[in-house]
Amino acid sequence: MTEQHLINAFGGESQAHMRYLHFGNQAEKEKYYNVARLFRAIAHAEYVHAGDHHRELRHLDGGFVANSMAAFGPGDSLKNLKLAIDGETYEIEEMYPAYIEVANSREKKEHKEALNGHMPVKKCINNFLKGH
C-alpha cells in the first residue's frame, strides 16, 4: 500500500500546485499582492513535492489512479486561504502521518524518508498561511 500512498501523495501535491497558482491569480485580482506571492511560492513547493514523489515511483510500470482527497472550491482570497490552511492541516495531522505509519510497518525506508522529508516544509507552509 505504500506505493499507492505515494501515488496519492503525488496526485494531491500536483493538484495543490495548480490550486495554489489559481489562488494566487485570485488574490492578485483582489489586489492582495503579498497573498498572491505567498500562494505562488507555495505552489512551487508543491511542485517540488510532487516531483519528489514522482521520482520515488519511477520504477513502476503501468497506469495508476491517484486518490488525492484534494479540497476544491474556488472562491475569494479569504475562502482560498481557509481551504489552503485546512488542506495543509489535513496533510500534517492525518494524511502524511498515516502514510508514514504504514511505511514504518512495512519497513519501506525509502518511502518513509520521501514522506517524512516533506513534513517540516508542510508545517512551515501552514504557519505562513496562518500568518505566524
Side-chain angles (χ1 to χ4, degrees):
M1 188 62 173
T2 20
E3 285 178 343
Q4 185 62 50
H5 288 148
L6 283 173
I7 291 166
N8 294 347
F10 169 76
E13 303 295 0
S14 298
Q15 285 184 335
H17 165 73
M18 292 306 300
R19 183 175 55 249
Y20 287 135
L21 288 177
H22 287 285
F23 286 0
N25 291 343
Q26 180 62 37
E28 190 166 26
K29 285 179 191 172
E30 295 174 23
K31 300 190 182 339
Y32 296 126
Y33 300 113
N34 287 336
V35 174
R37 282 191 281 276
L38 174 64
F39 277 134
R40 290 184 180 122
I42 295 169
H44 182 72
E46 302 295 14
Y47 170 81
V48 171
H49 290 165
D52 290 345
H53 296 317
H54 190 269
R55 278 185 294 286
E56 282 295 318
L57 297 166
R58 67 183 173 268
H59 65 282
L60 296 178
D61 185 29
F64 298 89
V65 174
N67 300 310
S68 67
M69 303 297 291
F72 183 77
D76 64 17
S77 291
L78 186 60
K79 180 182 176 187
N80 293 341
L81 279 166
K82 183 177 177 349
L83 282 173
I85 291 167
D86 290 348
E88 296 300 324
T89 300
Y90 167 75
E91 288 182 357
I92 292 165
E93 294 179 359
E94 296 180 43
M95 187 184 92
Y96 276 105
Y99 289 2
I100 291 165
E101 186 176 325
V102 171
N104 282 335
S105 71
R106 303 250 169 96
E107 296 183 8
K108 296 279 190 177
K109 182 182 174 191
E110 67 281 1
H111 296 310
K112 183 178 109 178
E113 289 172 1
L115 294 165
N116 243 339
H118 293 225
M119 290 298 281
V121 176
K122 290 290 180 187
K123 290 176 182 177
C124 182
I125 287 170
N126 209 20
N127 285 334
F128 277 129
L129 288 166
K130 291 178 178 177
H132 297 203

